[in-house]
Amino acid sequence: DLQSETAMLEFRLVAGEDEVAAEFSRRLQAHIRRSGKSSHLKRRLRERSDRYRSWDPSVYVQEPNIKESAGGLRDLHMVLWLARVFGAEGLEGIREMGLMPAAECGRAREAYDFLLRVRAQLHIQAGAKNDQLTFTAQEEAAPALGYADEESATASEQIMRDYFLRARILHTFSRDFFDALEERLRAQRWVKRRPRIEPLTGGLALREYHSIVLDGEGEEVLDAPSGLMRVFELQYRYGCQLSPELRAFVRGHLDSADEAFLASPEVRESFFQILGGKAGVAKTLHEMHELGFLGRYLPEFDPLTCFVQYDQYHRYTADEHTLVAIAALDELAYTKEIPLQELAHLHREMERTHVLRLAILLHDIGKARGPRHVHKSAALLPDIILRLGLPADEGRVIEFLVTNHLEMGHTAERRDLEDPLLIRNFAEKVVTAEQLQMLYLLSYADVSAVAPGIWSEWRGALMHELYAKTLLVLETGEAAVRARRREEVLTQVHLEARAASSRVEEEEIRRHLEGMPERYRVGSAPQDILRDIEMGRRLREEGRRCAIDITHRRRLGNTRLIIVCQDRIGLFALIAGTLAALDLSILGAKVSTREDGLVVDAFQVVDAAGKAVTDDALWEKFREAMEALLAGEMELEDLLRKNRRYLRPKHKASEGVQVLVEYDLAASEDATVLDIVTPDRHGLLSQIAHFLAEEGLSISRAKISTEGPRAVDVFYVTDAQGRKIEDHARLHELCERLTRTLAGEPQAGAAVS
């Protein structure tokens, strides 16, 4: 039993006879010899893998368990247990046996002491055992351990950077120690035969097809044209690891990466051989980073090392986030997931993959230099491009990708993708199909690396829609697309009506389409247009005030709600308020108004658990409430008062979120866009919609999303006559008053654009 064996290995004589303790030790060693040291090592490796899976295999998780996470105290405990099995006592014994260099043992001791101090502080704060270094615990522990806020970083950010640097040391020490033991056991088995050593170029060799080793003293490695970079190129090419001796050699010769090395064409080509691969690149880049070599070759990347992104949204430090993004790209080479096949195909067909990966490596280098990291990242690029000697075309592509790496996600999630102007402007920005494809892949990798599960089918569907529509414009021209769509849509809806044996005639379809806005005609599926016409007809024939259609989309995890009724000021607020009263949340909304005043409202709705709303009784309550509200038989305020959670925060961390309201006149031809960032709370959309209705504004479209404790909502608004609002003074005042409303207290003006 490994747990019992571990306890025995940890035994200490507290009281009693020395002879008894010595006999116990002798019998334990005899047991270990019988079971075999190799077997013990395998069980420890398996135990470590299981522990990493239980917590997180990354050292750089923002809220780590200081004992059990990768790089935690347990990593060194396992080293010391194994050392006793092999006859070494403590770090000093490990050094004396030659298993690890003295310098590495010293670094491990210092790192272990640091983690012990932090753990002790966590216990003091909690008044009990507590090993979880949460955001709150970080803020409390930092000043107690001597950290203070500085201009460049808060006290909690500083302590976490020190933690990650020490945890990385322990993690690397543990890995190197395990590898050294494996090599020693192999050498013992090779007493009767020589290991298979295949010489490679530049003073390196491949041992047993398992690891890259030095072939000599190492002078040839440093004298080779590509120097240390050749080590990692061979590691990538053979898909193996570096021996502990070679890792120590690289760490000890980082100074060879001087200015001439950084500007060397041979080094660059060797680096691009790694970046140009389709899979396995992240593993090599991780090795380069852990040995300190990546930051030497790309000095602009080095400040990201263990840089804490102190928010509730990112799971990893800035450097780990970047490397996880590279890993997400690697995984596309093997993915079997159907929603990712378009991305996987683009990745496989990409010719200049090295350009895309270099852009991913550089996309966040400005984060360690303060706010507005996109601009700071872009400002560093000219020097990098010049130093690396990149062709002008590749340099332009990298500058485009880094400067616009947030654009695709922002546009897909916060803008109306059925707006022809939006697609045309986005196509003008990306310029070429290749840049569009690279931006699509970069956006996927960047979002996926924020935290597990952040990339969802909903987010992927929005991103793919933007990609597909933009690609069509780039390939055929936007005007041609719109003209062809207008000609096709009438025929398609008519054929759909005939196939469904609908009573809707071609003339009725024509009148409906001619009365609807262009974005409705271009962006709606034929079956959806036919459904809307039939709902409008049912509204007239049955004498109801609204017609409602419900579709559950379980694969996307939401329910689509369609409401057809006559337009009125505050209609959106009534619908949003009714949904809020029933504890339902809106993910997205589109409003299309026909010239005769018929409104087609489409909502994506989820329940309190974030899933599709499949309760029929709940939807019946919604129908009854909407009929009563539209008939004036009930007030929305009375309905909302029944929900005790209305306008209460959804997250404890919401208190620290600042309210930001901005307007944008360039994003749409027919509406003014309001961007709102505010603490997320129940019924927020209803509150905003009610405010806009009181201002005499109509909401034509809405994009709803959350980022941790923040709600990031976008509204397309017009005045009572359906016209775009372009009066800057009115918009500025509107933003100020909405900011005060959302903040719940008088406050200075909102930021505007």
Side-chain angles (χ1 to χ4, degrees):
D1 176 68
L2 192 62
Q3 191 172 17
S4 298
E5 194 171 87
T6 299
M8 293 178 193
L9 283 169
E10 281 278 16
F11 94 91
R12 292 178 295 278
L13 177 61
V14 178
E17 297 293 333
D18 290 342
E19 293 80 3
V20 176
E23 176 64 12
F24 174 79
S25 180
R26 187 190 64 76
R27 291 191 185 187
L28 180 61
Q29 290 299 323
H31 160 74
I32 291 171
R33 283 196 297 274
R34 285 195 303 273
S35 62
K37 294 178 180 178
S38 178
S39 172
H40 193 92
L41 175 59
K42 288 177 182 177
R43 286 190 292 159
R44 289 295 177 192
L45 286 168
R46 191 161 53 246
E47 181 189 20
R48 186 180 65 172
S49 297
D50 291 343
R51 176 165 55 86
Y52 286 174
R53 276 195 297 271
S54 298
W55 295 94
D56 198 297
S58 173
V59 173
Y60 309 98
V61 180
Q62 298 259 55
E63 293 184 294
N65 183 293
I66 202 165
K67 186 175 181 182
E68 303 290 351
S69 292
L73 295 165
R74 188 63 81 206
D75 273 4
L76 188 65
H77 295 163
M78 295 187 72
V79 167
L80 298 176
W81 297 334
L82 262 177
R84 284 181 177 172
V85 169
F86 281 78
E89 188 66 34
L91 289 171
E92 187 63 25
I94 291 172
R95 183 194 64 76
E96 290 174 352
M97 285 187 66
L99 288 168
M100 293 294 290
E104 297 303 317
C105 291
R107 280 157 47 90
R109 184 184 301 280
E110 186 275 333
Y112 184 72
D113 287 346
F114 177 84
L115 264 64
L116 277 181
R117 287 198 299 276
V118 176
R119 188 185 186 217
Q121 182 59 36
L122 291 181
H123 290 190
I124 292 167
Q125 289 170 187
K129 178 184 176 182
N130 174 35
D131 296 331
Q132 201 70 34
L133 199 47
T134 62
F135 290 123
T136 302
Q138 293 165 24
E139 291 176 354
E140 292 179 19
L145 293 172
Y147 292 88
D149 289 345
E150 297 178 0
E151 187 176 347
S152 58
T154 64
S156 53
E157 288 171 341
Q158 293 174 58
I159 190 176
M160 288 311 296
R161 182 163 194 175
D162 282 350
Y163 166 81
F164 289 125
L165 288 169
R166 284 5 182 259
R168 183 169 74 169
I169 289 170
L170 283 187
H171 183 62
T172 303
F173 183 83
S174 170
R175 183 194 64 177
D176 288 355
F177 178 77
F178 275 67
D179 288 350
L181 283 182
E182 285 188 293
E183 294 292 348
R184 178 165 290 202
L185 289 173
R186 283 196 195 95
Q188 291 172 0
R189 291 196 297 270
W190 290 335
V191 171
K192 296 182 179 179
R193 75 166 180 86
R194 293 174 61 83
R196 289 187 293 269
I197 302 290
E198 181 182 338
L200 305 173
T201 58
L204 297 167
L206 181 63
R207 181 166 61 194
E208 291 290 321
Y209 305 106
H210 176 267
S211 58
I212 306 291
V213 298
L214 286 172
D215 187 12
E217 297 300 320
E219 292 84 354
E220 284 186 70
V221 176
L222 300 178
D223 292 340
S226 56
L228 290 178
M229 189 66 77
R230 180 69 174 163
V231 172
F232 300 101
E233 183 187 348
L234 291 172
Q235 181 194 18
Y236 173 72
R237 180 183 300 176
Y238 290 98
C240 58
Q241 64 187 36
L242 306 183
S243 70
E245 296 82 9
L246 185 52
R247 288 194 200 115
F249 178 83
V250 172
R251 284 196 203 97
H253 293 84
L254 291 176
D255 290 341
S256 67
D258 54 17
E259 290 186 14
F261 179 88
L262 301 186
S264 166
E266 290 84 2
V267 175
R268 180 195 66 209
E269 291 309 311
S270 182
F271 186 48
F272 283 178
Q273 285 295 317
I274 300 170
L275 296 185
K278 295 299 181 183
V281 178
K283 179 181 177 182
T284 302
L285 292 177
H286 257 290
E287 187 79 80
M288 293 171 69
H289 184 48
E290 288 194 358
L291 295 178
F293 179 74
L294 185 60
R296 287 299 182 107
Y297 185 61
L298 294 174
E300 296 81 3
F301 184 83
D302 195 49
L304 293 187
T305 302
C306 300
F307 181 79
V308 179
Q309 304 183 84
Y310 204 68
D311 61 45
Q312 302 281 338
Y313 204 46
H314 281 84
R315 181 171 177 80
Y316 306 109
T317 55
D319 53 340
E320 182 72 355
H321 163 78
T322 300
L323 296 174
V324 171
I326 298 281
L329 206 62
D330 286 350
E331 290 165 7
L332 287 176
Y334 306 108
T335 185
K336 296 292 191 294
E337 293 186 42
I338 299 301
L340 296 180
Q341 290 310 302
E342 175 80 19
L343 284 158
H345 175 74
L346 290 177
H347 176 54
R348 286 192 293 267
E349 298 297 315
M350 183 71 60
E351 293 183 0
R352 299 197 288 182
T353 312
H354 66 282
V355 174
L356 173 60
R357 279 209 175 83
L358 183 56
I360 294 176
L361 274 176
L362 301 176
H363 81 285
D364 275 348
I365 54 176
K367 277 192 172 178
R369 292 165 173 84
R372 297 173 62 84
H373 80 274
V374 174
H375 301 285
K376 289 182 168 64
S377 298
L380 296 169
L381 293 179
D383 288 342
I384 299 173
I385 291 167
L386 181 64
R387 185 178 70 239
L388 294 179
L390 294 176
D393 177 51
E394 292 185 359
R396 282 195 298 271
V397 173
I398 289 171
E399 287 182 331
F400 164 79
L401 292 173
V402 172
T403 303
N404 296 284
H405 74 268
L406 298 176
E407 285 297 311
M408 197 162 191
H410 182 279
T411 303
E413 295 179 32
R414 304 186 189 179
R415 293 293 180 261
D416 178 17
L417 300 183
E418 292 172 9
D419 187 339
L421 174 65
L422 177 87
I423 303 301
R424 184 168 68 242
N425 289 343
F426 193 72
E428 290 175 356
K429 178 172 286 188
V430 298
V431 183
T432 67
E434 183 194 39
Q435 290 194 162
L436 173 65
Q437 290 162 355
M438 286 189 175
L439 186 60
Y440 187 22
L441 287 165
L442 189 155
S443 301
Y444 161 74
D446 191 24
V447 172
S448 299
V450 169
I454 289 293
W455 180 269
S456 60
E457 285 200 33
W458 165 76
R459 188 169 266 118
L462 290 176
M463 207 86 80
H464 180 265
E465 183 181 353
L466 176 58
Y467 166 76
K469 288 182 174 180
T470 306
L471 184 63
L472 193 60
V473 169
L474 289 171
E475 291 179 342
T476 63
E478 191 265 345
V481 172
R482 293 175 67 180
R484 187 170 71 242
R485 177 65 178 166
R486 279 195 298 268
E487 293 172 5
E488 293 174 352
V489 68
L490 177 62
T491 303
Q492 290 173 343
V493 177
H494 184 55
L495 290 173
E496 186 73 28
R498 290 175 60 185
S501 301
S502 173
R503 293 184 296 139
V504 176
E505 300 293 336
E506 183 174 353
E507 185 57 34
E508 188 175 359
I509 298 171
R510 187 185 302 278
R511 287 198 307 271
H512 177 76
L513 290 173
E514 288 177 352
M516 281 294 196
E518 176 72 14
R519 58 181 169 78
Y520 176 87
R521 293 194 293 267
V522 172
S524 301
Q527 61 269 27
D528 291 340
I529 294 173
L530 178 62
R531 178 210 58 219
D532 297 342
I533 297 171
E534 290 178 332
M535 289 177 69
R537 170 181 281 196
R538 194 162 68 244
L539 199 67
R540 295 193 306 272
E541 293 175 350
E542 297 177 1
R544 289 180 175 270
R545 288 179 170 80
C546 65
I548 294 173
D549 181 79
I550 305 295
T551 305
H552 303 306
R553 304 189 293 184
R554 289 178 174 83
R555 188 173 64 84
L556 294 175
N558 62 62
T559 293
R560 184 177 64 181
L561 165 67
I562 307 296
I563 301 179
V564 175
C565 60
Q566 286 297 312
D567 194 16
R568 57 186 281 182
I569 290 291
L571 175 62
F572 194 102
L574 284 179
I575 299 171
T578 305
L579 290 170
L582 297 174
D583 257 348
L584 304 180
S585 299
I586 298 173
L587 296 181
K590 289 188 293 187
V591 179
S592 300
T593 306
R594 207 163 66 185
E595 289 178 351
D596 62 359
L598 187 77
V599 175
V600 178
D601 286 351
F603 294 87
Q604 296 172 51
V605 183
V606 294
D607 61 17
K611 299 178 180 178
V613 188
T614 57
D615 185 347
D616 292 336
L618 198 62
W619 285 118
E620 187 56 38
K621 288 182 182 178
F622 175 78
R623 285 189 179 90
E624 293 172 357
M626 283 302 304
E627 286 285 343
L629 288 168
L630 291 171
E633 299 169 358
M634 183 193 302
E635 294 295 326
L636 181 60
E637 289 75 12
D638 296 333
L639 191 63
L640 288 170
R641 267 196 290 270
K642 297 177 182 178
N643 187 341
R644 296 180 179 179
R645 295 202 299 171
Y646 183 63
L647 295 186
R648 289 187 178 180
K650 291 184 179 180
H651 303 269
K652 291 182 180 179
S654 295
E655 297 176 3
V657 177
Q658 299 261 327
V659 177
L660 178 69
V661 182
E662 301 178 328
Y663 66 85
D664 186 344
L665 296 176
S668 173
E669 284 182 311
D670 59 358
T672 301
V673 177
L674 293 179
D675 288 294
I676 301 172
V677 179
T678 186
D680 192 19
R681 52 184 175 266
H682 297 278
L684 173 65
L685 184 57
S686 171
Q687 182 189 24
I688 296 172
H690 182 70
F691 173 89
L692 295 175
E694 288 189 330
E695 294 293 322
L697 303 181
S698 293
I699 300 171
S700 63
R701 286 150 279 171
K703 289 267 191 168
I704 314 302
S705 61
T706 56
E707 297 177 357
R710 297 181 299 177
V712 183
D713 298 342
V714 180
F715 296 87
Y716 287 68
V717 299
T718 59
D719 62 18
Q721 287 73 44
R723 297 173 303 200
K724 182 176 181 178
I725 307 162
E726 300 184 89
D727 184 339
H728 287 273
R730 181 185 177 189
L731 288 169
H732 186 86
E733 183 184 355
L734 178 76
C735 288
E736 283 188 330
R737 283 194 279 114
L738 180 53
T739 299
R740 290 197 295 270
T741 298
L742 294 175
E745 58 184 1
Q747 105 180 22
V752 295
S753 61

